[in-house]
Structure formats: structure tokens, C-alpha cells
Amino acid sequence: MRDYLLTLCVTAAVTYLLTGPVRKFAIATGAMPEIRARDVHREPTPRLGGIAMFFGLCAGLLVADNLQNLNGVFELSNEPRALLSGAALIWLVGVLDDKFEIDALIKLGAQMIAAGVMVVQGLTILWIPVPGYGTVSLTSWQGTLLTVALVVITINAVNFVDGLDGLAAGMVCIAAGAFFLYTYRIWYGYGIEAAAPATLFAAILMGMCVGFLPHNMHPARIFMGDSGSMLIGLVLAAGAISVTGQVDPDALKIFEGSTREATHAALPVFIPLLLPLTIIAIPFADLVLAVVRRTWNGKSPFAADRGHLHHRLLEIGHSHSRSVLIMYFWSALIAFGVVAYSVHSASTWIVLVIVGLSAVGLVLLLLPRFTPRAPLWAQAFVPPRYRRRRWQEERYGRAGNAVGAGAEAERAQEALEEAGAERTPVPAGVNGATALSARSRFPDRGKASSRN
């Protein structure tokens, strides 16, 4: 565990330290597109954050290769090299897309090629466990198709959810944390060395996200872009493929006793084998709904719009930060709930806790639909937007009430913009870069050399 934590910290440190210079590089090269109609941010923001994340991945693999307890992962398995090869290819395509806007079909082809590169080097699904039946060996073509499908689905699910500041990096970090606990339990608890690569991938993925999040939280100073979202999606899929297709379920000794007993004993193991799909349950649902919605409206499934789940949270009335936290909550509930159930499937209290937290999540989700009527003595403990005007006048005077009214007007304007109202496009350039000057809320700006 100490070596995994060291790898995580080194990956996070390298990613964090490189994000600043990468941001300046993105501004200098013009990797800062104009604001589109579907975008939530209000000023051009540099992309290419995936460059720092990729070098963080390389640093994590390099450190792990030189640690005594993790060096065996590279000696006994070719999976880390397969991951690095596929990640380098998908990262390069993402960098080109962040700068030149590559066609969606070309990116889809690149994702399939990256998955094929990993399959050729041995990172593929060899068998799948079936409840009540046992282990089913896959042919070469079946394993390849299943591996490519899992990689493409995971990459696009993460890419679709990357619509708010800090959303994709935070959700993938939560997913990687839950996945790390599960794979570490298989490796350490059952003594199965084949689970070590997936554990290493999860630790490195957490470090990449943790190092990038301070720069990407609202208001974001830099976006990861497709070079980052496709990269972390590939790493997450690689860990899932490694633990699902390489770990022999027979080594877990779950197919013992009667058929009923074996099925009940295998239940907590079968569920986490689908953990990557449960981890990306929310992004995957967003992906499916987007494809259905666009096809139903006669548009291309790859045509971008403002109908994603995070856009709907903003339309309900949630703020940017609260929308992100709600998505974090549901991702953590699903991912860690599955892991907890895999450890103690016979405990009913785990199911009760999950149900209770789901109810809390629904209340938080519907919070903007009602205004709480708290007594005057409790006004100091409720958010400012829900405080009564009389209490604000008594506490802060008319000036404080005027400030509150101004804040309300600003929130109303933001709500109009988030609902899809027309707004003047802000051109990309030096003045749009928050790295060089203070943030401004006005789209009209002069040239860099003017006094304005």
C-alpha cells in the first residue's frame, strides 16, 4: 500500500506542476476556441490539460517500475507497456483535436485503433464469468471485439460527461478510488498477482485526476480537453479489462459446494467484475440518452447539444458547483455501494444505507423546486439565496439588501444564459485568457494593446 500511495503522490505532483506551464503553452498556441452555444463557461479557456495528465501517467509508471514491490508488475506482465502504447496514441489524437477540431468519426477510429494496440500486446479479455455456469473462455475474435467495445464505450462516456468544471476529473477520480479498493482486495486478500496491474492503473489514474483538479475546479483555469478525457477513459477501461479478463475466477474459489451456494458466494464477485460499467453508470446513461435524443430529432449521434444531465441540473436551478457535487454524490454512491456490497453481500444494513443515501440524493436533486421557510433565528444557517429580505435588512441594512438584489439579478442573467439564451460569442485570444488578466464578465473587450 505504501508503494501505491507513493506512485499516486508522484503522479499527482507531476500533473499538478505541469498543468501551469501547459496552460501557458495552450494560450500561446491558440488552443482556446470560441465559446459555443452549448458551453457553460463564459470566457474562452485554454485546453490541452491532457498533456500534463499524460506526463503524470508516464511519471507514475516510471516510479512504479523502480519500486521493489511494484517492479514485478512490469516483469511478469506486459500490460503496463500495452497501456502506455494505447494511451500515447489516444493522447496524440486528443491533442490534435483540441487544436484543430478533428471529425468525430476520425476520433472514433482512433479509439478503436488504440484499443487494438492494447489487444495486440496482451491487454485483452480472455474469459468472462457467468453466474450459475462458470467461466466461459472467449475466442481471439470475441475477446478483441469485447475489449474494443469496452474501451470505446468508456472513453465516450467520460468524454460526454466532461461538460462542467471539474466534473469529469472528479467522477473518474471517485471511480478509480472505488476500483482501487476492489482490485487491491483481490490482489492482497486473495493473493492473486494478476490483479496487481489493475491496482496500479487505478492508483495512477487517481493521481492524474487529483493533480489536475485544483486547476479545473470552478471557475476553471484550464480544461483537460479531449486529450485528457479520452486518456483517463482509456486508463479506466484498461484497468477493467485487466481485472475482468486476466483474473481467473476459479482462483477465487467461488465455484464450490452446491449450485445454489456457489451462485450466492459468487454474487459479490460477479457484481464488481462489472464495476467499470457501474462506475460509469451516470456517464453511460447520459451517453445513451444523448444518442436516442439526437437520433429522435433527426440529428447525428455525434452532434453536440445542451441536453446532457449536467445541463439539466443547471436548468432545474442548481448552481454550477452544486451540480458538480450532486454528480459526485451519485457516482460515489453507486461505485462505493457496489464495492461495499461485494465485501459483505449478506449484510442488509448496506442495502439500507444505500437506499437512505439515495433518498438524500433525491432531496438534494429537487432542492431548487421549493424554498425553505426557516424561522428568523435560523436564517444565519441557510444559504443566502434562501434568506428572507426582512432578516437581511435587519442584519446588514439596506446596503446589504441591495447587494443581495444585485446578486439575484446576476443569478437570473446566468439562468437565462444556461437555459440556452442567445449570447454574444467571445473571441479567443489574449484578452480571453484569464491567465494574463483578471476575469471580466463583459464580452466586449478591446485589443491587447489598447487602454481598454
Side-chain angles (χ1 to χ4, degrees):
M1 178 63 74
R2 186 168 54 246
D3 290 343
Y4 283 121
L5 292 178
L6 177 60
T7 304
L8 188 155
C9 292
V10 171
T11 305
V14 172
T15 304
Y16 176 80
L17 294 176
L18 288 180
T19 303
V22 167
R23 181 170 178 266
K24 295 181 180 180
F25 172 77
I27 295 173
T29 57
M32 197 165 46
E34 297 181 0
I35 297 179
R36 299 158 295 188
R38 68 178 188 271
D39 290 334
V40 177
H41 59 283
R42 306 171 67 184
E43 293 182 359
T45 305
R47 296 194 287 188
L48 293 178
I51 295 179
M53 303 178 81
F54 176 75
F55 283 105
L57 169 67
C58 296
L61 291 175
L62 181 62
V63 170
D65 191 18
N66 290 275
L67 293 177
Q68 182 178 359
N69 294 328
L70 298 181
N71 186 37
V73 176
F74 297 84
E75 295 178 352
L76 302 177
S77 173
N78 197 43
E79 294 180 15
R81 299 176 183 85
L83 170 66
L84 185 59
S85 301
L89 177 59
I90 204 69
W91 168 75
L92 180 60
V93 174
V95 170
L96 295 177
D97 179 67
D98 289 340
K99 183 64 176 72
F100 302 107
E101 295 287 343
I102 299 178
D103 186 74
L105 292 178
I106 297 179
K107 289 192 293 184
L108 180 62
Q111 295 168 9
M112 299 175 67
I113 294 175
V117 169
M118 294 194 299
V119 170
V120 170
Q121 300 187 54
L123 187 55
T124 181
I125 298 178
L126 302 178
W127 49 65
I128 55 175
V130 179
Y133 181 79
T135 303
V136 177
S137 299
L138 301 178
T139 64
S140 177
W141 280 106
Q142 290 173 341
T144 300
L145 291 177
L146 190 57
T147 301
V148 172
L150 182 60
V151 170
V152 172
I153 290 174
T154 307
I155 289 177
N156 286 281
V158 174
N159 194 18
F160 269 52
V161 83
D162 185 23
L164 296 179
D165 298 347
L167 182 58
M171 291 183 66
V172 172
C173 185
I174 293 171
F179 197 70
F180 175 82
L181 293 179
Y182 171 65
T183 54
Y184 184 79
R185 176 172 173 263
I186 292 181
W187 174 74
Y188 184 76
Y190 291 92
I192 300 176
E193 293 291 338
T199 310
L200 176 62
F201 296 166
I204 292 177
L205 183 57
M206 279 192 292
M208 295 164 62
C209 297
V210 169
F212 185 71
L213 269 175
H215 300 273
N216 191 234
M217 293 302 292
H218 183 69
R221 294 168 53 83
I222 185 173
F223 295 151
M224 67 173 66
D226 282 0
S227 59
S229 61
M230 292 197 299
L231 176 63
I232 59 179
L234 180 78
V235 177
L236 180 61
I241 293 168
S242 176
V243 73
T244 304
Q246 304 291 329
V247 176
D248 187 0
D250 293 334
L252 302 177
K253 299 179 180 180
I254 58 178
F255 301 112
E256 296 180 354
S258 64
T259 303
R260 181 177 181 181
E261 293 175 352
T263 303
H264 183 270
L267 184 61
V269 179
F270 285 125
I271 293 178
L273 288 177
L274 300 176
L275 186 60
L277 298 181
T278 61
I279 283 171
I280 62 171
I282 295 179
F284 181 71
D286 194 11
L287 171 63
V288 173
L289 292 175
V291 172
V292 173
R293 180 179 64 251
R294 295 166 185 174
T295 306
W296 183 266
N297 294 330
K299 300 180 180 179
S300 169
F302 303 101
D305 57 15
R306 288 179 58 90
H308 294 290
L309 295 178
H310 48 270
H311 290 138
R312 297 185 182 276
L313 288 175
L314 295 174
E315 292 175 359
I316 290 175
H318 291 288
S319 63
H320 190 293
S321 300
R322 188 189 297 170
S323 299
V324 172
L325 292 177
I326 289 176
M327 299 285 279
Y328 284 178
F329 174 83
W330 284 105
S331 298
L333 179 61
I334 295 174
F336 287 99
V338 170
V339 173
Y341 184 74
S342 70
V343 178
H344 299 288
S345 61
S347 300
T348 57
W349 66 268
I350 294 180
V351 179
L352 295 177
V353 170
I354 294 175
V355 172
L357 291 177
S358 299
V360 173
L362 290 176
V363 171
L364 295 176
L365 187 65
L366 300 175
L367 188 61
R369 294 299 186 184
F370 65 91
T371 302
R373 296 296 180 183
L376 291 178
W377 59 268
Q379 292 294 310
F381 303 101
V382 299
R385 64 185 302 178
Y386 297 118
R387 292 173 184 170
R388 298 183 181 180
R389 180 173 298 180
R390 194 180 79 181
W391 182 85
Q392 289 185 355
E393 291 179 353
E394 293 176 356
R395 184 73 179 271
Y396 302 107
R398 294 184 178 180
N401 193 30
V403 172
E408 289 291 340
E410 183 179 350
R411 281 193 295 270
Q413 179 63 27
E414 292 179 357
L416 288 175
E417 294 182 356
E418 292 168 355
E422 291 274 335
R423 54 181 169 180
T424 306
V426 182
V430 176
N431 285 329
T434 58
L436 306 180
S437 62
R439 286 183 173 272
S440 171
R441 294 185 175 272
F442 300 98
D444 254 336
R445 298 181 178 179
K447 295 183 179 179
S449 59
S450 67
R451 296 184 178 179
N452 294 332

